[in-house]
Amino acid sequence: MKTAVLNKGKEQKYLNQYPLVDEEDIYEHSHLEDGDIFHIVTDDGRYIATAYVGRQHKGLGWVLSYDAEEEINQEFFEALFEEALDYRQYYFDIDGTNAFRLFNAEGDGVGGLTIDYYDRHLLIQWYSKGIYTFRTDILEAVQAVFPYTSIFEKTRFKDSEVSSGFVTGEAPEFPIVIEENFTFYNVDLDDGPMTGIFLDQKEVRKKLRDVYAPDRSVLNLFSYTGAFSVIAAQTAAETTSVDLANRSRGLTEENFGVNGIDPKTQYIYVMDTFDFYHYAARHNKAYDTIVIDPPSFARNKKKVFTVQKDYHKLIEEALPVLNDGGTLILSTNSSALTSKAFKNMIKRTLDAQDVDFEILEAMGLPKDFKTHPHYKPSKYLKVVFVRVSEKVEEVIIEEDYYGD
């Protein structure tokens, strides 16, 4: 068994069960290769944890066990998968939803690995070369524990020979239609890096439909396949979807269609978000609810967008097209931005715009996206609901008083 010696002063971090092995915490790691299982030890040889090499984020790998004698094999993964399945039994027993996360990386005990359930069709995602070396044991464990009709996989690391594909079972014809909160969406598990829906936003979509869409005009920016728009349209006065990708229009129209909604009754624009802001302002368009859920990083011919540097611009330019008393639903999936930092950025931006605002509520990941209690980046999704009103200047009326 290979070992990695911790630098002095780093022991407590891992004794407190921090799951990501940071490279700078290890005295020497040049002997460790992708997929290696190794013991983390103190400089005097005291065992702390067992980890594997899977370079991801700024990490060297992920902790798997705190038992020096435990073997990392098919039985190990089966035990974790059985625990994960039991944790998510709720989703198998409710009506109106048949797509959710079965296994969520470090939250369930294996950083770098996720498994999603789409109405008995499973999608395994590998986030490093290191975790991919365990593919055989993991696939055997998946088939032994989880109910499935088919299994697909996607590799999310560089230099992979396989980006996505069918693994085993009865392969369906895509797209398949899944259900979430009694709403239907098209999904394709074998078409590039994305599937057609982000499962981590299920509770936010429901909140939009039930609370922030009824009888309102809803603008959905970075709309992708229109998931927010489709669920909002069930209660909203109208929806507007905006995305720069040409294929977004067709995918959004199809999602409206599977829900029995004529896409011609809704508005769909293939445009850059900032260009749409200007277009809406020129045409005196304004909205009661605006959903802003950008990617953490995006590049087009005109500009580069990053959440940390540019999110405030999305808020600033939304204000002229937000009706007085309207709601901003501000979302980010950037693990580099803490919840506190995100809220502070929102407050600073709105303060600078000299408007009255109130943070109504905040949401994070749903229960199926289990997080790690000692690793804050696992709570990557932050969603803040803000009501914004124009400031009303206080008017002082001076009265003239006349003597008798």
Side-chain angles (χ1 to χ4, degrees):
M1 176 68 70
K2 292 184 177 181
T3 60
V5 180
L6 286 172
N7 290 319
K8 286 188 176 182
K10 299 296 182 179
E11 298 89 346
Q12 196 59 46
K13 177 178 180 179
Y14 297 96
L15 288 171
N16 289 339
Q17 300 193 352
Y18 186 81
L20 181 68
V21 183
D22 289 325
E23 288 191 11
E24 63 265 25
D25 293 345
I26 304 299
Y27 176 71
E28 171 60 44
H29 53 76
S30 61
H31 62 298
L32 297 175
E33 300 177 353
D34 285 322
D36 280 350
I37 297 172
F38 63 96
H39 284 173
I40 300 173
V41 299
T42 62
D43 60 343
D44 59 359
R46 181 163 55 99
Y47 169 85
I48 292 181
T50 301
Y52 81 92
V53 180
R55 291 176 173 83
Q56 186 182 348
H57 307 305
K58 296 181 180 179
L60 172 65
W62 297 91
V63 172
L64 292 174
S65 173
Y66 297 92
D67 180 354
E69 303 301 320
E70 185 166 28
E71 294 187 28
I72 310 303
N73 52 24
Q74 179 181 331
E75 289 72 25
F76 170 82
F77 292 111
E78 283 187 19
L80 289 180
F81 292 164
E82 286 169 356
E83 184 177 345
L85 183 63
D86 181 66
Y87 179 81
R88 290 159 178 85
Q89 197 58 50
Y90 164 81
Y91 290 97
F92 287 96
D93 295 336
I94 62 171
D95 294 330
T97 295
N98 60 20
F100 45 89
R101 179 146 291 183
L102 276 178
F103 191 89
N104 195 39
E106 66 275 4
D108 283 295
V110 183
L113 174 72
T114 65
I115 305 171
D116 292 320
Y117 180 93
Y118 295 89
D119 193 17
R120 293 187 61 88
H121 300 284
L122 306 188
L123 176 64
I124 302 173
Q125 297 187 85
W126 315 91
Y127 285 85
S128 70
K129 288 182 180 179
I131 193 60
Y132 195 72
T133 63
F134 298 95
R135 182 175 182 272
T136 299
D137 281 341
I138 288 173
L139 287 179
E140 290 295 330
V142 166
Q143 294 174 72
V145 174
F146 295 126
Y148 71 93
T149 297
S150 72
I151 300 175
F152 286 77
E153 66 180 345
K154 293 183 187 294
T155 54
R156 308 301 294 266
F157 55 90
K158 295 180 180 179
D159 303 323
S160 171
E161 295 180 0
V162 179
S163 59
S164 67
F166 172 71
V167 177
T168 190
E170 300 175 18
E173 289 189 13
F174 291 116
I176 59 173
V177 178
I178 60 94
E179 187 175 13
E180 178 195 276
N181 293 315
F182 298 98
T183 307
F184 301 100
Y185 302 96
N186 283 318
V187 165
D188 190 335
L189 306 184
D190 195 21
D191 181 26
M194 296 189 288
T195 66
I197 191 168
F198 297 114
L199 296 177
D200 53 4
Q201 292 276 16
K202 63 171 65 66
E203 292 181 358
V204 181
R205 284 189 283 268
K206 183 176 185 297
K207 179 73 72 171
L208 170 64
R209 178 190 64 193
D210 296 347
V211 179
Y212 297 101
D215 302 319
R216 298 186 183 189
S217 57
V218 176
L219 172 60
N220 178 19
L221 301 170
F222 306 95
S223 58
Y224 182 32
T225 62
F228 279 112
S229 305
V230 168
I231 197 168
Q234 297 171 14
T235 61
E238 65 177 39
T239 70
T240 299
S241 305
V242 179
D243 197 286
L244 184 59
N246 286 325
R247 66 185 304 213
S248 65
R249 177 186 293 277
L251 295 171
T252 299
E253 290 175 342
E254 290 170 4
N255 273 335
F256 277 124
V258 297
N259 286 277
I261 300 170
D262 184 351
K264 294 180 181 178
T265 64
Q266 311 298 316
Y267 298 94
I268 303 172
Y269 294 87
V270 178
M271 293 179 70
D272 172 80
T273 290
F274 291 102
D275 290 342
F276 180 80
Y277 279 148
H278 303 153
Y279 168 84
R282 288 197 308 271
H283 291 80
N284 296 315
K285 293 179 177 289
Y287 304 89
D288 303 310
T289 298
I290 301 179
V291 181
I292 305 178
D293 183 28
S296 295
F297 174 87
R299 182 196 303 272
N300 63 32
K301 295 179 181 179
K302 297 180 180 180
K303 61 180 80 76
V304 173
F305 173 90
T306 64
V307 163
Q308 289 96 322
K309 293 182 179 180
D310 302 309
Y311 201 115
H312 68 96
K313 299 175 186 176
L314 291 171
I315 299 173
E316 292 167 357
E317 298 205 30
L319 296 178
V321 297
L322 179 69
N323 282 325
D324 188 34
T327 302
L328 296 176
I329 301 179
L330 306 173
S331 175
T332 180
N333 64 359
S334 173
S335 59
L337 196 63
T338 66
S339 178
K340 182 178 180 180
F342 187 49
K343 287 181 180 178
N344 285 341
M345 179 276 296
I346 294 169
K347 291 176 181 177
R348 286 196 307 271
T349 301
L350 293 174
D351 280 335
Q353 297 302 305
D354 198 31
V355 295
D356 283 327
F357 67 92
E358 177 187 2
I359 293 181
L360 302 171
E361 58 183 311
M363 298 179 69
L365 290 167
K367 182 181 178 182
D368 52 321
F369 281 71
K370 188 177 181 181
T371 60
H372 194 288
H374 305 295
Y375 185 62
K376 290 182 178 179
S378 70
K379 300 178 181 179
Y380 63 86
L381 182 65
K382 281 81 60 176
V383 185
V384 179
F385 299 76
V386 188
R387 180 188 293 121
V388 181
S389 301
E390 295 179 5
K391 277 195 172 180
V392 178
E393 296 295 333
E394 184 178 356
V395 178
I396 300 176
I397 301 176
E398 294 184 358
E399 298 185 12
D400 291 329
Y401 290 91
Y402 299 93
D404 294 336

